[in-house]
Amino acid sequence: MLDQLDAQSPDALLALIKMHAQDPREDKIDLGVGVYRTNDGATPVFRAIKAAEQKLVDTQDSKSYLGPEGDTGFVDALKPYIFGKDAAMGGRLEGMQTPGGTGAVRLAVALSKAAGVQRVYLGTPSWPNHAQILEDVGVETGTFRHAAPDGTADIDALLDVIVNARASDAVLLHGCCHNPTGVDYTPEQWDRIADALADSGVLPILDVAYHGLGLGLEEDVAGVRKVLAKVPEALVAYSCDKNFGLYRDRVGAFYMIAKSADDLPAITSNANALARANWSMPPDHGGAAVRTVLRDDALTATWLDELAEMRERMRRVRERLAAADNDVPGLNLATLAHQNGLFAVLPLSKDQIVSLREDHGIYMAGSGRINVAGLHEGNTAKFIAALADVTGN
């Protein structure tokens, strides 16, 4: 039976990682892998997380089961950062821990389908796994253009989808630091989105995967909060992979906002059943470390400092690239200064991307997506010069 399976295409990013590892050039640049890197090119464990893990070593007295909802203390500790001071939302909010933001997105889509959603709209381009999850769960995927050629969000495309959507539709939106474009909606656009969603009845699924890496913790979820203030119900997927540096520990959370507090028990029971069938319960360690950080004022202050360091470094890289706009005409590098987060997409041809890799040792996704954090003081000038070379400038 198993011999009837067709081979699947290998993950292009994993192949890129392998090629980069095998490249002997000392000045090679990896802009493909989606992890934060310091100015030294490292992806360190956060100082706050290290201290929290030591606390767990010293005080944790059991590894017993927690249940499909995971560490509820972790889930509750995140709420004020995501939802603001009124994190209870009148008793209409409940959450659970998930294996990373990926698990949260999958649970959101599966729960939506169980509630009657038949089609989920997704802006393109998007994180590739979004479309794979929609297909695997078995809902129809609708698309709209996310980013306009001028490097801004195509708000009209999204509003058109919302206005003309069916009652059984949902729309999946990036909360901030859009992957792969870095193009976010403006505060004014979020107002229009919130109003349109409130009028349409379309179910919003809000994916918050890079909280704190854009403009700040409050600013990065301002749009999400505007939507939640207007709509009767919504689902929120949250990831701690980037903003706590817990990539391999798979730390995420899933939140359900109901029309009424009376609806929450049934909604939560369905989410728990889906989680139980998918992963039984999420891994504990990373969530426990985040909970420990957020319950300790000193560790929280350290975490906030580390997050600010990351955000400010990526902003400096973006500004440096934007300043080179005249050196590499045609790529619209100036727009990078107005975008947010780890990623940006450069309008390069396939041949130009291959030339960057083969002639200059610069590795990026075939879509033109770059990880801004892969650049630093020691390699940004080389990158700009290579862009000028392959584009004929």
Side-chain angles (χ1 to χ4, degrees), residues 1-168:
M1 183 180 293
L2 296 180
D3 61 353
Q4 301 303 306
L5 292 171
D6 294 328
Q8 298 297 299
S9 300
D11 187 286
L13 189 55
L14 294 179
L16 195 70
I17 293 171
K18 185 175 181 180
M19 283 191 290
H20 177 267
Q22 294 174 343
D23 190 328
R25 287 172 285 191
E26 293 184 2
D27 62 345
K28 61 188 177 182
I29 302 175
D30 178 11
L31 304 181
V33 181
V35 300
Y36 175 77
R37 288 199 171 99
T38 65
N39 204 47
D40 298 324
T43 304
V45 178
F46 280 33
R47 300 186 299 275
I49 290 295
K50 275 286 192 184
E53 289 178 319
Q54 187 58 57
K55 278 195 169 190
L56 290 174
V57 168
D58 295 338
T59 63
Q60 192 175 52
D61 56 8
S62 178
K63 294 286 187 181
S64 184
Y65 295 124
L66 290 176
E69 69 275 8
D71 187 331
T72 56
F74 154 77
V75 174
D76 290 340
L78 285 172
K79 286 179 181 177
Y81 294 93
I82 305 169
F83 304 104
K85 293 180 180 179
D86 182 22
M89 300 188 69
R92 297 167 47 234
L93 172 68
E94 188 56 88
M96 56 195 299
Q97 185 184 351
T98 58
T102 303
V105 171
R106 183 180 180 87
L107 190 54
V109 175
L111 186 63
S112 299
K113 182 182 179 183
V117 167
Q118 298 175 0
R119 177 172 59 185
V120 178
Y121 274 99
L122 180 67
T124 56
S126 190
W127 178 50
N129 216 18
H130 277 152
Q132 293 178 189
I133 289 171
L134 298 181
E135 180 181 2
D136 194 53
V137 172
V139 296
E140 181 184 350
T141 302
T143 61
F144 60 92
R145 187 176 73 167
H146 172 70
D150 65 358
T152 62
D154 189 344
I155 183 65
D156 292 330
L158 170 58
L159 294 178
D160 183 65
V161 160
I162 295 173
V163 169
N164 294 295
R166 303 187 301 237
S168 58

Side-chain angles (χ1 to χ4, degrees), residues 2 25 85 91 106 203 217 230 240 310 320 326 364:
L2 296 180
R25 287 172 285 191
K85 293 180 180 179
R106 183 180 180 87
L203 178 68
L217 282 172
K230 291 287 184 73
C240 294
M310 295 168 63
R320 175 69 181 88
N326 290 333
M364 67 173 67

Side-chain angles (χ1 to χ4, degrees), residues 109-372:
V109 175
L111 186 63
S112 299
K113 182 182 179 183
V117 167
Q118 298 175 0
R119 177 172 59 185
V120 178
Y121 274 99
L122 180 67
T124 56
S126 190
W127 178 50
N129 216 18
H130 277 152
Q132 293 178 189
I133 289 171
L134 298 181
E135 180 181 2
D136 194 53
V137 172
V139 296
E140 181 184 350
T141 302
T143 61
F144 60 92
R145 187 176 73 167
H146 172 70
D150 65 358
T152 62
D154 189 344
I155 183 65
D156 292 330
L158 170 58
L159 294 178
D160 183 65
V161 160
I162 295 173
V163 169
N164 294 295
R166 303 187 301 237
S168 58
D169 285 343
V171 61
L172 197 165
L173 299 174
H174 298 234
C176 63
C177 305
H178 186 272
N179 180 3
T181 67
V183 175
D184 289 340
Y185 296 111
T186 67
E188 294 76 20
Q189 289 173 336
W190 275 114
D191 286 329
R192 297 174 66 189
I193 293 167
D195 288 338
L197 287 168
D199 291 340
S200 72
V202 173
L203 178 68
I205 301 173
L206 303 165
D207 187 6
V208 184
Y210 304 95
H211 187 198
L213 300 186
L215 299 175
L217 282 172
E218 289 293 304
E219 296 90 338
D220 287 354
V221 288
V224 169
R225 292 178 187 175
K226 287 181 177 184
V227 170
L228 298 182
K230 291 287 184 73
V231 300
E233 55 186 0
L235 301 174
V236 177
Y238 190 88
S239 173
C240 294
D241 288 3
K242 309 298 192 298
N243 62 359
F244 283 89
L246 289 165
Y247 307 93
R248 67 177 68 168
D249 283 333
R250 314 309 302 136
V251 186
F254 173 59
Y255 296 94
M256 301 150 277
I257 296 88
K259 292 179 180 178
S260 165
D262 295 336
D263 297 329
L264 266 183
I267 297 170
T268 303
S269 69
N270 277 269
N272 282 335
L274 289 166
R276 178 72 170 151
N278 274 281
W279 50 73
S280 184
M281 64 194 62
D284 171 66
H285 179 78
V290 171
R291 167 176 48 78
T292 302
V293 169
L294 297 181
R295 285 184 174 178
D296 184 296
D297 290 344
L299 292 183
T300 297
T302 299
W303 168 62
L304 292 174
D305 287 344
E306 293 181 278
L307 203 54
E309 290 171 10
M310 295 168 63
R311 186 169 59 245
E312 291 163 7
R313 195 186 91 71
M314 288 189 290
R315 185 59 56 191
R316 289 194 298 272
V317 172
R318 287 184 174 276
E319 290 172 353
R320 175 69 181 88
L321 292 175
D325 187 62
N326 290 333
D327 299 327
V328 194
L331 292 187
N332 205 15
L333 293 180
T335 62
L336 271 65
H338 308 294
Q339 298 166 3
N340 300 308
L342 281 173
F343 303 116
V345 174
L346 302 182
L348 296 164
S349 70
K350 297 293 184 183
D351 289 342
Q352 289 169 334
I353 291 171
V354 170
S355 179
L356 282 169
R357 182 172 69 242
E358 294 182 351
D359 300 333
H360 300 277
I362 297 173
Y363 291 77
M364 67 173 67
S367 64
R369 189 196 82 165
I370 63 169
N371 176 8
V372 172

